[in-house]
Amino acid sequence: MTSQRVAKKISARRRKPRGEGYQRRGEILAAARGLFLKEGVDRVTIRAICARVGLTAPALYRHFKDKREIITGICNETFGRLLETFRRIRAEEKDPLAALTQMMESYVRFALAHQDEYRLLFMSKDLLMLEMAKDMAITCDEDALRAGILGPLVLQELAAHVALCIERGILKPGDPETITDAIWSCGHGIASLLITHPHFKDRAPDALIAAGIDMVLNGLLKR
């Protein structure tokens, strides 16, 4: 039997039944996420991802055309849910400052609930989330959807709300981008320490999250 026939038989045997392609897609993302965390994004090949999942390259390419699209899938799968949370808070909470507090608290708790993804996208040397946002001219939902990545919209949603708070005289005047970075840095710092630092693993996270966010927002209030 030729190698080509063997490959076809293996592919047919491993192909998911109709309707189970979404499950296979999730398996690919999970395998890639684990390899990226262990080896680093640059060192992981499509072949390695295929070996981890147990499928051929042509089978993987039916779901993702390249490694960058897999990275995008990880971003969308994780931070698409956080984007929904941010938008729900902004829609339901009428007090802008209370909404900003809730957004940052939900951000840190989301990071703690999805530690592997957070490490990969915000704490690895690749800094995938920030690099992909920087590389793409994303200014609105349409741009993000056209580019196929929703992750940068999380930070843009936060920036839009910070700009609203400045406009309404709740936060002191200043560059909205700089103030957003300062607020996000606080949340990111708390999340990173709670995820990685042994000293913080035994701390009560709720008290630390509340104190840190209260401190940074109080320092930015217009007096």
Side-chain angles (χ1 to χ4, degrees):
M1 182 179 293
T2 66
S3 59
Q4 187 175 10
R5 289 180 180 176
V6 171
K8 286 182 178 180
K9 287 190 68 175
I10 292 173
S11 178
R13 187 166 59 245
R14 290 174 175 170
R15 185 176 300 173
K16 287 285 184 182
R18 186 180 299 275
E20 294 186 23
Y22 184 80
Q23 180 181 341
R24 177 63 87 193
R25 179 184 172 88
E27 291 171 357
I28 294 169
L29 291 177
R33 187 185 299 117
L35 288 170
F36 290 159
L37 283 166
K38 183 179 179 180
E39 306 291 342
V41 174
D42 290 341
R43 297 175 62 183
V44 175
T45 64
I46 290 292
R47 179 180 294 180
I49 297 171
C50 289
R52 174 68 67 92
V53 181
L55 45 66
T56 63
L60 182 143
Y61 289 133
R62 283 198 291 270
H63 299 278
F64 302 96
K65 67 180 182 181
D66 53 27
K67 188 165 72 172
R68 187 176 182 85
E69 198 167 273
I70 293 174
I71 294 168
T72 300
I74 293 172
C75 288
N76 289 346
E77 187 181 68
T78 304
F79 288 95
R81 296 193 293 274
L82 182 58
L83 178 62
E84 291 176 2
T85 299
F86 273 16
R87 289 179 171 171
R88 177 184 53 76
I89 291 170
R90 294 189 70 193
E92 296 177 359
E93 177 55 67
K94 302 308 178 185
D95 180 347
L97 182 59
L100 182 56
T101 301
Q102 290 176 33
M103 289 168 73
M104 289 311 302
E105 288 177 346
S106 67
Y107 178 92
V108 178
R109 292 194 176 95
F110 190 88
L112 297 179
H114 302 85
Q115 295 188 18
D116 286 347
E117 291 88 345
Y118 198 82
R119 284 175 183 268
L120 174 62
L121 299 173
F122 278 112
M123 296 169 63
S124 71
K125 64 180 180 64
D126 303 282
L127 290 175
L128 296 180
M129 178 80 158
L130 301 181
E131 288 302 311
M132 294 184 81
K134 180 182 69 176
D135 291 345
M136 297 179 182
I138 293 177
T139 59
C140 62
D141 285 17
E142 289 74 18
D143 288 341
L145 291 169
R146 193 177 303 115
I149 179 169
L150 299 179
L153 289 178
V154 172
L155 296 182
Q156 290 194 13
E157 193 73 19
L158 177 62
H161 194 74
V162 168
L164 175 68
C165 290
I166 295 172
E167 180 184 330
R168 295 193 179 180
I170 298 168
L171 299 181
K172 62 180 63 175
D175 174 39
E177 184 176 352
T178 300
I179 294 175
T180 300
D181 285 346
I183 295 171
W184 173 76
S185 295
C186 173
H188 172 66
I190 294 170
S192 301
L193 287 170
L194 287 170
I195 290 171
T196 64
H197 202 293
H199 176 75
F200 287 87
K201 288 188 180 295
D202 295 329
R203 293 289 188 268
D206 289 346
L208 182 60
I209 293 168
I213 293 171
D214 181 69
M215 178 181 67
V216 70
L217 293 185
N218 268 307
L220 292 169
L221 290 178
K222 185 176 180 180
R223 305 296 182 185

